[in-house]
């Protein structure tokens, strides 16, 4: 088993680039033999404390503390809105250029409603010459998502509410488009990537900006769609009409 890629390590914090498909920790629904928490503990030879979560299908920046006091301090910053998270997602259709979603969510049926807010910014579009339903071509957008709250599956639910579900989302997405990406592009994952996590360091006060590069599978996909890598320093993503064989 390959070591997890470390994005940051100091005496108080460690950040990794979590691969898609890797659970953060075991739960009633997750019974992985080696989730990220256990793998990182084994890799570092010490205890680590998760301070936030990513869905199993999401790749990108995942932060841990190396002691309980630091974990509590990061949790307080999260609670006070001092942590900025940015995600990249591929969604169905041509999303709005910019919009603010303020749409309350429930974690599960019967749970209390919780305020949830997300900023959506469109980075690029693509049209694939593949019919879907009654449409002669399939349209998709690359979007930058910034959640201002941390509700369960917030981005997936918000984009589904906007009628631009994230490709590869089997719970809140649309099966026809998920199938198109599997059959024509060889993509079998949720197209959601936690690209950046920014926060004041809980001990030193230094502003940390943690970035996770795209996994090779996403790099290949973006190249095939004519998009630059948005995680690269000089990226200039743009609209493109892709030539994809049927």
């Amino acid at each position: 088993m390959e070591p997890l890629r470390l994005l940051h390590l100091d005496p108080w914090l460690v950040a990794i680039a979590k691969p898609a498909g890797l659970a953060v920790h075991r739960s009633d629904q997750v019974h992985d033999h080696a989730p990220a928490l256990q793998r990182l503990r084994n890799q570092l030879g010490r205890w680590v404390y998760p301070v936030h979560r990513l869905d199993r299908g999401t790749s990108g920046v995942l932060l841990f503390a190396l002691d309980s006091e630091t974990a509590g301090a990061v949790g307080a910053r999260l609670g006070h809105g001092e942590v900025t998270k940015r995600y990249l997602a591929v969604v169905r259709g041509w999303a709005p250029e910019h919009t603010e979603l303020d749409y309350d969510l429930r974690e599960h049926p019967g749970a209390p409603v919780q305020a949830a807010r997300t900023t959506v910014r469109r980075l690029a579009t693509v049209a694939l010459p593949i019919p879907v339903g009654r449409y002669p071509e399939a349209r998709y957008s690359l979007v930058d998502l910034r959640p201002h709250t941390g509700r369960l599956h917030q981005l997936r639910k918000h984009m589904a509410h906007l009628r631009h579900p994230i490709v590869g989302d089997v719970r809140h997405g649309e099966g026809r488009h998920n199938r198109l990406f599997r059959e024509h592009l060889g993509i079998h994952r949720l197209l959601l990537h936690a690209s950046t996590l920014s926060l004041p360091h809980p001990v030193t006060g230094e502003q940390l900006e943690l970035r996770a590069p795209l996994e090779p599978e996403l790099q290949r996909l973006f190249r095939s769609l004519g998009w630059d890598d948005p995680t690269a320093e000089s990226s200039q993503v743009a609209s493109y009409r892709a030539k994809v064989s049927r």
Side-chain angles (χ1 to χ4, degrees), residues 51 69-81 83 202:
V51 296
E69 292 79 8
T70 302
V74 175
R77 279 167 164 70
L78 282 163
H80 289 104
V83 180

Side-chain angles (χ1 to χ4, degrees), residues 21-192:
L22 179 64
V24 176
H25 50 69
R26 297 188 184 97
S27 69
D28 293 339
Q29 292 76 38
V30 176
H31 305 285
D32 293 29
H33 174 67
L37 179 63
Q38 188 60 53
R39 284 179 60 180
L40 187 57
R41 285 174 179 171
N42 294 342
Q43 184 172 328
L44 298 180
R46 61 181 299 177
W47 206 257
V48 297
Y49 300 77
V51 296
H52 71 113
R53 61 193 178 193
L54 291 178
D55 292 344
R56 180 203 291 265
T58 305
S59 57
V61 181
L62 182 62
L63 183 64
F64 296 84
L66 296 177
D67 61 77
S68 59
E69 292 79 8
T70 302
V74 175
R77 279 167 164 70
L78 282 163
H80 289 104
E82 298 176 41
V83 180
T84 300
K85 303 176 187 177
R86 294 190 180 277
Y87 293 74
L88 295 169
V90 179
V91 303
R92 184 196 72 184
W94 289 357
E97 289 189 7
H98 184 277
T99 191
E100 297 283 338
L101 275 169
D102 193 349
Y103 178 68
D104 296 349
L105 298 173
R106 300 179 190 271
E107 289 206 355
H108 54 80
V113 171
Q114 297 175 303
R117 187 164 64 91
T118 302
T119 299
V120 181
R121 184 167 62 93
R122 189 179 74 204
L123 301 177
T125 59
V126 68
L128 304 182
I130 305 171
V132 178
R134 60 190 177 90
Y135 299 101
E137 63 181 17
R139 294 181 173 186
Y140 301 97
S141 299
L142 175 64
V143 294
D144 176 291
L145 303 176
R146 178 179 173 181
H148 301 279
T149 49
R151 308 309 178 199
L152 182 66
H153 298 168
Q154 175 174 321
L155 299 180
R156 294 161 61 185
K157 291 176 179 177
H158 269 179
M159 294 313 295
H161 173 73
L162 195 60
R163 298 185 182 274
H164 293 286
I166 298 173
V167 174
D169 188 344
V170 297
R171 179 173 297 183
H172 308 287
E174 186 171 330
R176 294 180 300 176
H177 294 274
N178 297 346
R179 187 163 53 250
L180 183 152
F181 270 71
R182 290 195 302 268
E183 294 177 354
H184 293 270
L185 298 170
I187 298 296
H188 298 261
R189 57 161 289 178
L190 176 70
L191 293 182
L192 181 63

